[in-house]
Amino acid sequence: MLHPIESRTTSPVAAAQLLEPRPDGRPQGSPGPQCPQGGPGSPGEDNPWHTGAACRRDEVGLFFAPSKEPTAARLSREEQAKQVCARCPVLLECREHALAQPEPYGVWGGLTAAERRVVLARRRRREGELREAARVTTAQRRIAG
């Protein structure tokens, strides 16, 4: 199986793994979770952040849900994945990648897809508040000035 953060090179084993169905049930040809440094010609080729990721050493099944997974099993699996993430030296880089993409599936940077949606909504709300505050401040300076 492929790891959530795929390496840049495709070994014969990795090439054979591409033929396996994805853990999240999507077809192999569909866009999947990949690190921005994971593709040919992408930035950070010399030392991509994901090379030190703890999930590269663990079972990918922890990070992506199988088809029709029962809720209790999903919660347990996600908790195990988060424990791996908690000891990961690149947790923040992974999380920011997943938020910037945004990654729609799996546990990335210690957050589930639902948790990432909440973070993104909060960020959008906060950015809106900051823009409004800047607009009001600019208007007040014009009036005072």
Side-chain angles (χ1 to χ4, degrees):
M1 289 188 159
L2 294 173
H3 287 281
I5 300 175
E6 299 173 66
S7 68
R8 290 193 81 294
T9 59
T10 304
S11 68
V13 172
Q17 290 170 339
L18 288 173
L19 301 175
E20 296 179 16
R22 289 182 187 252
D24 58 15
R26 290 177 294 138
Q28 281 297 335
S30 66
Q34 290 185 355
C35 171
Q37 291 86 358
S42 57
E45 291 180 17
D46 293 339
N47 190 17
W49 62 263
H50 58 82
T51 57
C55 60
R56 293 178 65 90
R57 297 178 293 277
D58 288 295
E59 174 60 39
V60 71
L62 287 179
F63 299 92
F64 295 96
S67 299
K68 300 178 182 178
E69 181 180 35
T71 302
R74 177 183 53 83
L75 294 173
S76 175
R77 178 190 48 75
E78 288 174 346
E79 185 55 39
Q80 290 174 342
K82 289 178 179 187
Q83 289 173 6
V84 172
C85 292
R87 63 178 164 79
C88 185
V90 295
L91 177 127
L92 295 178
E93 292 90 339
C94 180
R95 181 176 295 171
E96 286 306 314
H97 158 76
L99 292 168
Q101 284 302 308
E103 291 291 352
Y105 304 101
V107 174
W108 289 78
L111 298 176
T112 65
E115 291 166 338
R116 289 191 303 275
R117 286 190 294 273
V118 170
V119 169
L120 288 171
R122 286 179 181 164
R123 281 185 180 182
R124 283 190 296 271
R125 185 171 51 246
R126 180 68 179 141
E127 288 168 3
E129 290 170 353
L130 291 173
R131 280 193 301 274
E132 179 62 20
R135 188 188 65 73
V136 168
T137 301
T138 302
Q140 288 174 341
R141 285 183 186 156
R142 285 185 190 148
I143 292 170

